[in-house]
Amino acid sequence: MIPVYNEEKDLQPCVRRLHEHLARTFPYAFRITIADNASTDTTPQVAARLAAEIPEVSTFRLEQKGRGRALRAVWSASEAPVLAYMDVDLSTDLNALLPLVAPLISGHSDLAIGSRLAPSSRVVRGPKREFISRVYNLILRGSLQARFSDAQCGFKAIRRDVAQVLLPLIEDTGWFFDTEMLVLAERAGLRIHEVPVDWVDDPDSTVHIVRTATDDLKGVWRVGRALATGSLPLDRLARPFGDDPRDREIKDVPRGLARQLVGFCVVGALSTLFYLLLYSGFRVFTGSQAANALALLVSAIANTAANRRLTFGVRGRGGAVRHQAQGLVVFGIGLALTSGSLAALNAATSEPAHSTELAVLIAANLAATVLRFLLFRAWVFPDRREGGSPVAASYDTTQFRAGDVADSWRDATAQLLPVRPHDTDARDFR
């Protein structure tokens, strides 16, 4: 797909060059769709002429602007098993197209993106755009914990079964569409393949940098808030595609136990540091027992909230009050262990050193931590579903299952049959 708005000058050479490249080098059947975003010049007429002259070219007209809106409309209506788009200026070298879609055709990855920021990429562009691109990706990494390297490169692909599940969750209709798609896919555990690209900046680009940057920052805030509040139903995307080794049962080990242990240990280590800092601060103003109780209470509330979301995968606000109440009971047991340890220390020596107090508390907290995990798993956040998968907020995902999608288009991946290259084409130097 090629989204365009008022591109009467560049559209024809772009489409002809792309078609020539695909016909000469691409080993699979293809279709080029021109998505016209409410152009006011002669772009629709140019697109119509191209569609009439070239069998593999079609055109799609939208009466509203927005690259995201065009992507959603064309991709949702397409029957192709692999969907891709690129900008009309063809800034990205077309030799990266086959490496972009290959992992999607094989089923190894769910999405693929071109990256101008990969170490092996070769990029020619001005310092202003380079600075803005790198700052934007730093913002994504800092605010949304994004791990992909380049959200804005206009060179991406997605499997159709993944798109059918992912596209309905994306709100943006403009330039932030790409970023939102990648963030949601990454948070849902989908695999994103990155391809280093050769990219040459288009000096005649019509993108309004300031307005686009402002809209992107608004999108970052909206998506970040939705992720923080748990309002995004990412359960719809939680590994419905293919065989995931994390879903396989391990003999004599309950499902999800290993992941929960790792998450609980990380949260527990951070909670212990938080507790010790609080205890040291409270100890300046009060006695050891009161300081321990206050520090343990505050850290216990934070620990329950973190384990609820990160360790046991519970999203949304449902049951949060009950979980905190049960967590306070677990806190009471931990308080009894640590307070008893301090009482025993004070009985043994009248004025113990502060370092000795901390050592005793660390040992007592380790014992309390083991007990806390067992109580959390068996009582506070029990697994109420068959198969032992972690508890999570419930969403109706039946209509989005990948198997149902595959049935509707008869496993279209199998339809990607290689075609014989043009062996007699003098331009083919292979």
Side-chain angles (χ1 to χ4, degrees):
M1 171 193 162
I2 302 175
V4 294
Y5 173 72
N6 289 349
E7 297 288 354
E8 58 183 2
K9 177 182 176 182
D10 295 332
L11 180 57
Q12 179 167 304
C14 160
V15 172
R16 292 193 181 279
R17 177 183 165 197
L18 174 60
H19 179 267
E20 186 274 336
H21 175 84
L22 291 172
R24 182 169 54 88
T25 67
F26 213 62
Y28 302 102
F30 62 88
R31 181 166 63 243
I32 301 172
T33 302
I34 303 169
D36 176 21
N37 286 197
S39 294
T40 57
D41 61 2
T42 62
T43 296
Q45 290 76 25
V46 175
R49 286 199 302 270
L50 289 168
E53 295 175 12
I54 306 175
E56 291 85 1
V57 175
S58 61
T59 182
F60 190 95
R61 168 76 177 182
L62 292 93
E63 299 302 329
Q64 292 177 291
K65 291 178 60 177
R67 182 174 71 172
R69 181 179 286 108
L71 284 168
R72 188 198 313 277
V74 174
W75 280 358
S76 298
S78 177
E79 296 181 357
V82 174
L83 312 166
Y85 94 91
M86 63 182 62
D87 291 336
V88 69
D89 55 16
L90 295 187
S91 295
T92 304
D93 184 20
L94 293 178
N95 288 322
L97 184 56
L98 186 55
L100 183 79
V101 301
L104 308 186
I105 293 173
S106 69
H108 176 269
S109 298
D110 303 300
L111 298 91
I113 64 173
S115 175
R116 299 164 296 184
L117 303 181
S120 57
S121 297
R122 293 187 286 257
V123 177
V124 178
R125 61 175 166 180
K128 180 180 179 180
R129 286 180 176 268
E130 179 77 12
F131 175 78
I132 292 175
S133 180
R134 292 190 177 274
V135 169
Y136 180 63
N137 281 280
L138 286 175
I139 291 174
L140 293 180
R141 289 177 179 271
S143 59
L144 301 179
Q145 288 79 52
R147 296 189 298 274
F148 48 84
S149 66
D150 191 352
Q152 295 176 309
C153 182
F155 194 70
K156 296 181 176 67
I158 186 172
R159 281 172 31 206
R160 178 175 176 263
D161 56 340
V162 179
Q164 287 193 332
V165 184
L166 185 59
L167 294 183
L169 303 181
I170 304 173
E171 294 185 19
D172 192 81
T173 59
W175 294 97
F176 187 71
F177 182 94
D178 298 46
T179 302
E180 187 170 356
M181 177 179 67
L182 293 174
V183 170
L184 296 186
E186 191 173 72
R187 287 300 184 95
L190 302 183
R191 180 169 286 167
I192 301 174
H193 177 73
E194 296 198 14
V195 178
V197 297
D198 296 344
W199 195 87
V200 179
D201 190 14
D202 178 14
D204 298 324
S205 175
T206 58
V207 178
H208 193 287
I209 297 178
V210 175
R211 184 170 62 245
T212 301
T214 302
D215 292 342
D216 285 347
L217 292 177
K218 291 179 181 178
V220 170
W221 169 256
R222 174 177 55 79
V223 172
R225 182 177 58 184
L227 291 172
T229 58
S231 61
L232 281 170
L234 295 181
D235 294 47
R236 295 182 183 181
L237 293 170
R239 304 198 303 272
F241 306 103
D243 177 30
D244 193 301
R246 293 170 292 182
D247 295 329
R248 299 174 188 170
E249 295 185 9
I250 303 176
K251 186 177 181 181
D252 300 327
V253 177
R255 291 181 62 184
L257 178 60
R259 182 187 61 80
Q260 291 176 0
L261 277 172
V262 173
F264 184 82
C265 289
V266 173
V267 172
L270 296 176
S271 298
T272 301
L273 293 176
F274 185 47
Y275 162 80
L276 293 175
L277 290 174
L278 290 174
Y279 177 81
S280 298
F282 291 143
R283 188 66 176 85
V284 176
F285 306 102
T286 184
S288 59
Q289 292 288 4
N292 174 64
L294 288 173
L296 197 56
L297 175 62
V298 175
S299 61
I301 294 174
N303 181 276
T304 300
N307 276 305
R308 181 179 187 270
R309 176 66 177 86
L310 302 176
T311 303
F312 297 95
V314 181
R315 300 183 178 89
R317 300 178 181 178
V321 175
R322 175 174 57 84
H323 292 152
Q324 282 292 351
Q326 292 173 309
L328 289 178
V329 175
V330 178
F331 152 74
I333 298 175
L335 177 63
L337 284 173
T338 53
S339 296
S341 301
L342 284 175
L345 177 63
N346 289 328
T349 176
S350 57
E351 294 184 359
H354 182 63
S355 58
T356 305
E357 284 184 352
L358 291 180
V360 170
L361 286 173
I362 290 174
N365 267 283
L366 288 175
T369 297
V370 175
L371 182 60
R372 185 183 301 120
F373 176 75
L374 296 176
L375 289 174
F376 272 173
R377 182 175 172 84
W379 180 49
V380 183
F381 308 110
D383 183 1
R384 302 186 186 278
R385 301 186 298 176
E386 294 182 2
S389 57
V391 178
S394 176
Y395 297 97
D396 181 11
T397 62
T398 304
Q399 60 177 317
F400 294 101
R401 299 302 295 174
D404 298 337
V405 175
D407 291 340
S408 67
W409 47 281
R410 302 184 305 279
D411 193 14
T413 304
Q415 301 175 16
L416 290 170
L417 301 177
V419 297
R420 182 177 297 278
H422 298 271
D423 296 330
T424 59
D425 191 337
R427 296 168 296 179
D428 187 355
F429 298 102
R430 293 176 299 162

